[in-house]
Short mmCIF file of all heavy atoms in Angstrom, two decimals:
data_model
loop_
_atom_site.label_atom_id
_atom_site.label_comp_id
_atom_site.label_asym_id
_atom_site.label_seq_id
_atom_site.Cartn_x
_atom_site.Cartn_y
_atom_site.Cartn_z
N VAL B 47 -3.22 -16.28 18.41
CA VAL B 47 -1.80 -16.68 18.32
C VAL B 47 -1.74 -18.11 17.91
O VAL B 47 -0.92 -18.46 17.03
CB VAL B 47 -1.11 -16.42 19.75
CG1 VAL B 47 0.25 -17.12 19.64
CG2 VAL B 47 -1.10 -15.02 20.17
N ARG B 48 -2.57 -18.91 18.52
CA ARG B 48 -2.51 -20.33 18.20
C ARG B 48 -2.92 -20.59 16.69
O ARG B 48 -2.17 -21.34 15.99
CB ARG B 48 -3.38 -21.10 19.05
CG ARG B 48 -2.92 -21.28 20.53
CD ARG B 48 -3.51 -22.38 21.20
NE ARG B 48 -5.01 -22.40 21.39
CZ ARG B 48 -5.63 -21.66 22.32
NH1 ARG B 48 -4.89 -20.85 23.17
NH2 ARG B 48 -6.90 -21.64 22.33
N LYS B 49 -3.89 -19.87 16.29
CA LYS B 49 -4.27 -20.15 14.85
C LYS B 49 -3.22 -19.58 13.96
O LYS B 49 -2.91 -20.32 12.99
CB LYS B 49 -5.65 -19.34 14.61
CG LYS B 49 -6.16 -19.60 13.21
CD LYS B 49 -7.50 -19.69 13.11
CE LYS B 49 -8.21 -20.95 13.57
NZ LYS B 49 -9.59 -21.05 13.36
N ASP B 50 -2.57 -18.41 14.27
CA ASP B 50 -1.47 -18.00 13.45
C ASP B 50 -0.38 -18.95 13.32
O ASP B 50 0.06 -19.22 12.24
CB ASP B 50 -0.90 -16.65 14.06
CG ASP B 50 -1.74 -15.42 13.74
OD1 ASP B 50 -2.62 -15.51 12.95
OD2 ASP B 50 -1.68 -14.42 14.48
N LEU B 51 -0.03 -19.56 14.53
CA LEU B 51 1.23 -20.40 14.50
C LEU B 51 0.83 -21.76 13.85
O LEU B 51 1.67 -22.47 13.34
CB LEU B 51 1.69 -20.68 16.04
CG LEU B 51 2.14 -19.40 16.68
CD1 LEU B 51 2.64 -19.79 18.03
CD2 LEU B 51 3.22 -18.76 15.84
N SER B 52 -0.50 -22.07 13.88
CA SER B 52 -0.92 -23.22 13.26
C SER B 52 -0.61 -23.39 11.74
O SER B 52 -0.54 -24.43 11.07
CB SER B 52 -2.32 -23.71 13.46
OG SER B 52 -3.24 -22.89 12.76
N PHE B 53 -0.54 -22.15 11.18
CA PHE B 53 -0.28 -22.14 9.63
C PHE B 53 1.09 -22.49 9.47
O PHE B 53 1.42 -22.72 8.32
CB PHE B 53 -0.57 -20.69 9.21
CG PHE B 53 -2.00 -20.36 9.06
CD1 PHE B 53 -2.57 -19.48 9.99
CD2 PHE B 53 -2.85 -20.87 8.16
CE1 PHE B 53 -3.94 -19.14 9.80
CE2 PHE B 53 -4.12 -20.60 8.05
CZ PHE B 53 -4.77 -19.76 8.90
N LEU B 54 1.98 -22.46 10.45
CA LEU B 54 3.40 -22.84 10.17
C LEU B 54 3.44 -24.33 10.32
O LEU B 54 4.59 -24.96 10.16
CB LEU B 54 4.24 -22.23 11.28
CG LEU B 54 4.23 -20.73 11.54
CD1 LEU B 54 5.10 -20.28 12.50
CD2 LEU B 54 4.49 -19.95 10.17
N GLY B 55 2.38 -25.07 10.63
CA GLY B 55 2.53 -26.46 10.98
C GLY B 55 2.42 -26.67 12.51
O GLY B 55 2.30 -25.65 13.25
N SER B 56 2.28 -27.93 12.93
CA SER B 56 2.14 -28.14 14.40
C SER B 56 3.40 -28.20 15.12
O SER B 56 3.98 -29.29 15.04
CB SER B 56 1.33 -29.56 14.60
OG SER B 56 0.02 -29.39 14.15
N HIS B 57 3.81 -27.07 15.67
CA HIS B 57 5.17 -27.14 16.29
C HIS B 57 4.98 -27.02 17.86
O HIS B 57 5.99 -27.01 18.57
CB HIS B 57 5.90 -25.97 15.79
CG HIS B 57 6.31 -26.11 14.36
ND1 HIS B 57 7.19 -27.09 13.86
CD2 HIS B 57 5.80 -25.48 13.21
CE1 HIS B 57 7.16 -26.96 12.52
NE2 HIS B 57 6.42 -25.95 12.08
N GLY B 58 3.74 -26.93 18.31
CA GLY B 58 3.54 -26.77 19.80
C GLY B 58 3.48 -28.14 20.44
O GLY B 58 3.21 -29.14 19.73
N VAL B 59 3.60 -28.32 21.75
CA VAL B 59 3.38 -29.47 22.45
C VAL B 59 2.16 -29.24 23.44
O VAL B 59 2.31 -28.25 24.27
CB VAL B 59 4.68 -29.93 23.27
CG1 VAL B 59 4.43 -31.19 23.94
CG2 VAL B 59 5.77 -30.05 22.31
N ARG B 60 1.19 -30.07 23.40
CA ARG B 60 0.03 -29.91 24.26
C ARG B 60 0.35 -30.07 25.56
O ARG B 60 1.12 -30.94 25.96
CB ARG B 60 -1.16 -30.79 23.79
CG ARG B 60 -1.66 -30.53 22.37
CD ARG B 60 -2.50 -31.58 21.87
NE ARG B 60 -2.62 -31.48 20.43
CZ ARG B 60 -3.78 -31.41 19.77
NH1 ARG B 60 -4.83 -31.52 20.33
NH2 ARG B 60 -3.75 -31.34 18.47
N GLY B 61 -0.13 -29.14 26.47
CA GLY B 61 0.18 -29.18 27.78
C GLY B 61 1.44 -28.45 28.22
O GLY B 61 1.69 -28.31 29.44
N VAL B 62 2.27 -28.10 27.21
CA VAL B 62 3.55 -27.54 27.45
C VAL B 62 3.64 -26.09 26.89
O VAL B 62 3.83 -25.11 27.58
CB VAL B 62 4.62 -28.40 26.94
CG1 VAL B 62 6.05 -27.74 27.16
CG2 VAL B 62 4.61 -29.79 27.64
N GLY B 63 3.47 -26.02 25.45
CA GLY B 63 3.71 -24.80 24.78
C GLY B 63 4.63 -24.99 23.61
O GLY B 63 4.70 -26.13 23.05
N TYR B 64 5.22 -23.95 23.17
CA TYR B 64 6.09 -24.00 22.11
C TYR B 64 7.51 -23.93 22.46
O TYR B 64 7.86 -23.14 23.38
CB TYR B 64 5.71 -22.86 21.06
CG TYR B 64 4.31 -22.83 20.55
CD1 TYR B 64 3.37 -22.16 21.31
CD2 TYR B 64 3.95 -23.48 19.43
CE1 TYR B 64 2.05 -22.14 20.91
CE2 TYR B 64 2.64 -23.45 18.90
CZ TYR B 64 1.72 -22.81 19.66
OH TYR B 64 0.38 -22.77 19.26
N ASP B 65 8.34 -24.64 21.79
CA ASP B 65 9.86 -24.43 22.07
C ASP B 65 10.22 -23.20 21.34
O ASP B 65 10.09 -22.89 20.16
CB ASP B 65 10.58 -25.59 21.46
CG ASP B 65 12.14 -25.51 21.68
OD1 ASP B 65 12.51 -25.87 22.78
OD2 ASP B 65 12.83 -25.00 20.76
N ARG B 66 10.85 -22.31 22.22
CA ARG B 66 11.01 -20.91 21.75
C ARG B 66 11.98 -20.87 20.47
O ARG B 66 11.72 -20.24 19.51
CB ARG B 66 11.68 -20.09 22.96
CG ARG B 66 11.74 -18.64 22.54
CD ARG B 66 11.87 -17.69 23.72
NE ARG B 66 13.11 -18.04 24.37
CZ ARG B 66 14.13 -17.12 24.43
NH1 ARG B 66 14.00 -15.92 23.80
NH2 ARG B 66 15.21 -17.29 25.11
N LEU B 67 13.12 -21.52 20.56
CA LEU B 67 14.04 -21.41 19.59
C LEU B 67 13.61 -22.10 18.35
O LEU B 67 13.87 -21.48 17.22
CB LEU B 67 15.45 -22.13 20.02
CG LEU B 67 16.44 -21.14 20.49
CD1 LEU B 67 15.93 -20.32 21.73
CD2 LEU B 67 17.75 -21.77 20.81
N HIS B 68 12.93 -23.20 18.51
CA HIS B 68 12.40 -23.88 17.36
C HIS B 68 11.39 -23.00 16.61
O HIS B 68 11.32 -23.00 15.40
CB HIS B 68 11.71 -25.18 17.79
CG HIS B 68 11.19 -25.98 16.63
ND1 HIS B 68 9.82 -26.04 16.39
CD2 HIS B 68 11.73 -26.61 15.55
CE1 HIS B 68 9.60 -26.84 15.26
NE2 HIS B 68 10.75 -27.15 14.85
N LEU B 69 10.53 -22.36 17.45
CA LEU B 69 9.54 -21.50 16.87
C LEU B 69 10.02 -20.28 16.07
O LEU B 69 9.68 -19.96 15.04
CB LEU B 69 8.52 -21.10 18.02
CG LEU B 69 7.32 -20.30 17.54
CD1 LEU B 69 6.55 -21.10 16.45
CD2 LEU B 69 6.35 -19.96 18.65
N CYS B 70 11.08 -19.72 16.81
CA CYS B 70 11.79 -18.62 16.10
C CYS B 70 12.29 -19.00 14.73
O CYS B 70 12.14 -18.31 13.77
CB CYS B 70 12.95 -18.07 16.99
SG CYS B 70 12.49 -17.15 18.32
N MET B 71 12.89 -20.19 14.77
CA MET B 71 13.50 -20.68 13.45
C MET B 71 12.40 -20.92 12.43
O MET B 71 12.55 -20.62 11.20
CB MET B 71 14.19 -21.97 13.69
CG MET B 71 15.00 -22.46 12.51
SD MET B 71 16.03 -21.24 11.71
CE MET B 71 17.29 -20.93 12.91
N GLN B 72 11.28 -21.58 12.85
CA GLN B 72 10.13 -21.77 11.98
C GLN B 72 9.65 -20.41 11.34
O GLN B 72 9.38 -20.43 10.18
CB GLN B 72 9.02 -22.48 12.61
CG GLN B 72 9.29 -23.93 12.84
CD GLN B 72 9.61 -24.74 11.69
OE1 GLN B 72 8.93 -24.49 10.55
NE2 GLN B 72 10.58 -25.62 11.65
N ILE B 73 9.50 -19.52 12.18
CA ILE B 73 8.96 -18.23 11.69
C ILE B 73 9.94 -17.49 10.67
O ILE B 73 9.55 -17.06 9.61
CB ILE B 73 8.78 -17.19 12.87
CG1 ILE B 73 7.59 -17.77 13.73
CG2 ILE B 73 8.37 -15.84 12.42
CD1 ILE B 73 7.17 -16.80 14.95
N LYS B 74 11.25 -17.59 10.94
CA LYS B 74 12.28 -16.95 10.16
C LYS B 74 12.25 -17.81 8.81
O LYS B 74 12.30 -17.18 7.72
CB LYS B 74 13.61 -17.12 10.83
CG LYS B 74 13.81 -16.12 11.95
CD LYS B 74 15.29 -16.16 12.32
CE LYS B 74 15.48 -15.18 13.55
NZ LYS B 74 16.92 -15.35 14.14
N LEU B 75 12.14 -19.06 8.93
CA LEU B 75 12.02 -19.82 7.71
C LEU B 75 10.80 -19.40 6.82
O LEU B 75 10.95 -19.24 5.62
CB LEU B 75 11.87 -21.37 8.04
CG LEU B 75 12.48 -22.37 7.20
CD1 LEU B 75 14.00 -22.36 7.32
CD2 LEU B 75 12.11 -23.76 7.81
N GLU B 76 9.77 -19.28 7.44
CA GLU B 76 8.46 -18.96 6.81
C GLU B 76 8.60 -17.56 6.16
O GLU B 76 8.18 -17.33 4.99
CB GLU B 76 7.33 -19.00 7.75
CG GLU B 76 5.97 -19.04 7.07
CD GLU B 76 5.78 -20.35 6.22
OE1 GLU B 76 6.22 -21.39 6.60
OE2 GLU B 76 5.19 -20.21 5.09
N LEU B 77 9.20 -16.57 6.89
CA LEU B 77 9.31 -15.20 6.45
C LEU B 77 10.43 -15.13 5.41
O LEU B 77 10.54 -14.05 4.86
CB LEU B 77 9.51 -14.27 7.69
CG LEU B 77 8.22 -14.13 8.51
CD1 LEU B 77 8.65 -13.15 9.67
CD2 LEU B 77 7.14 -13.44 7.74
N GLY B 78 11.27 -16.15 5.24
CA GLY B 78 12.35 -15.93 4.32
C GLY B 78 13.51 -15.12 4.94
O GLY B 78 14.20 -14.49 4.18
N LEU B 79 13.63 -15.29 6.19
CA LEU B 79 14.69 -14.50 6.86
C LEU B 79 15.90 -15.31 7.20
O LEU B 79 16.72 -14.95 8.13
CB LEU B 79 14.22 -13.94 8.12
CG LEU B 79 12.88 -12.96 7.96
CD1 LEU B 79 12.37 -12.56 9.25
CD2 LEU B 79 13.39 -11.78 7.14
#
Side-chain angles (χ1 to χ4, degrees):
Chain B
V47 174
R48 290 200 297 278
K49 184 145 283 184
D50 282 346
L51 298 183
S52 77
F53 287 108
L54 309 178
S56 292
H57 297 289
V59 180
R60 292 169 201 232
V62 179
Y64 302 87
D65 181 79
R66 188 162 66 110
L67 263 59
H68 179 255
L69 186 53
C70 280
M71 187 49 72
Q72 284 304 317
I73 293 178
K74 284 185 183 172
L75 214 65
E76 196 64 41
L77 289 176
L79 297 175

